Amino acid sequence: MDIKKIYMNANALLEGHFKLSSGNHSQFYLQSAKVLEDPKTAKLLADELAAQIKADGLEIDTVCAPALGGLIAGFALATALDVRFIFAERVNGQMQIRRGFEVKQGEKVLMCEDIITTGGSAMEAAAVVKELGGEIVGVAALANRGFCHRKGSDIRTQPNCKLPQDIPFFALADFTFEMYSPDTCPLCKDGSKAIKPGSRGN
């Protein structure tokens, strides 16, 4: 499956000058919402990701996604795995699990995002799951920005990866783009202004 082609066909691989959730800048941006707006494509990607996870033999009771970016990917993956789906959301800047969702002691939970960059949001949500008694058994995403090692990839984990190394990380493809701090960004030096197209921007 050519994930890059799927993103390009959906106009979801954007080129320009972008401010990422991390605060860094990049010339490229993955907008998974454009891919997932087509239910057939969402199902296709989730089925492919679920096949990886099933082949690994991972035991999963529940998929949990951080809102907002992970919601569609997480629900589609839970459907493909035939398990329960819950989500965490930010309230006054802090991740919480609300809306009557409960996590049982020892419940095996797979965290899911649309894209994993450093994995910070997924791990914030995972911390809440663990506080409620859940066990984090793995992390999954449609795309990996290349800072964390995923199963089946030659990419090595970088220092800014926040995913734990003792659980598996599954993703469909690696997208390795250059990122710059705002004070060293060549795009800024050329006079362009970064825009923030993600869920925390618009």
Side-chain angles (χ1 to χ4, degrees):
M1 180 181 290
D2 191 338
I3 305 303
K4 184 176 181 179
K5 185 176 180 181
I6 290 173
Y7 269 78
M8 292 180 69
N9 288 345
N11 294 318
L13 178 52
L14 310 180
E15 185 171 1
H17 183 186
F18 304 105
K19 182 179 180 181
L20 308 177
S21 296
S22 63
N24 291 322
H25 292 194
S26 177
Q27 186 178 356
F28 297 97
Y29 190 87
L30 294 172
Q31 181 57 281
S32 292
K34 289 291 295 176
V35 175
L36 297 172
E37 70 179 352
D38 177 8
K40 290 181 181 178
T41 302
K43 183 180 186 304
L44 180 72
L45 295 175
D47 286 347
E48 183 76 10
L49 190 54
Q52 279 190 29
I53 295 166
K54 289 176 181 177
D56 196 66
L58 198 64
E59 185 179 344
I60 301 163
D61 298 315
T62 300
V63 171
C64 178
L68 184 63
L71 287 182
I72 299 174
F75 182 79
L77 181 59
T79 302
L81 292 170
D82 194 24
V83 298
R84 187 170 76 111
F85 172 71
I86 63 175
F87 62 87
E89 57 192 306
R90 290 188 188 278
V91 180
N92 298 323
Q94 299 294 319
M95 279 289 185
Q96 295 184 17
I97 290 179
R98 308 164 66 204
R99 303 178 190 273
F101 291 140
E102 296 179 355
V103 178
K104 296 177 182 177
Q105 193 69 32
E107 189 169 348
K108 299 182 184 303
V109 179
L110 175 74
M111 304 305 300
C112 182
E113 274 273 33
D114 55 347
I115 300 165
I116 288 287
T117 302
T118 63
S121 293
M123 288 302 97
E124 284 184 63
V128 181
V129 171
K130 290 169 71 174
E131 286 175 7
L132 296 174
E135 177 190 352
I136 307 302
V137 296
V139 178
L142 301 181
N144 174 33
R145 281 295 306 269
F147 297 97
C148 302
H149 171 73
R150 68 176 176 92
K151 297 210 72 167
S153 171
D154 294 330
I155 288 178
R156 295 185 178 183
T157 297
Q158 302 299 311
N160 55 346
C161 175
K162 296 179 181 178
L163 300 186
Q165 301 303 297
D166 58 344
I167 61 171
F169 168 38
F170 305 90
L172 296 176
D174 299 313
F175 289 82
T176 53
F177 305 139
E178 288 288 339
M179 293 198 312
Y180 313 98
S181 63
D183 57 342
T184 63
C185 176
L187 304 170
C188 289
K189 290 180 179 178
D190 286 342
S192 68
K193 184 176 181 180
I195 63 170
K196 193 171 183 181
S199 59
R200 295 191 209 174
N202 58 7

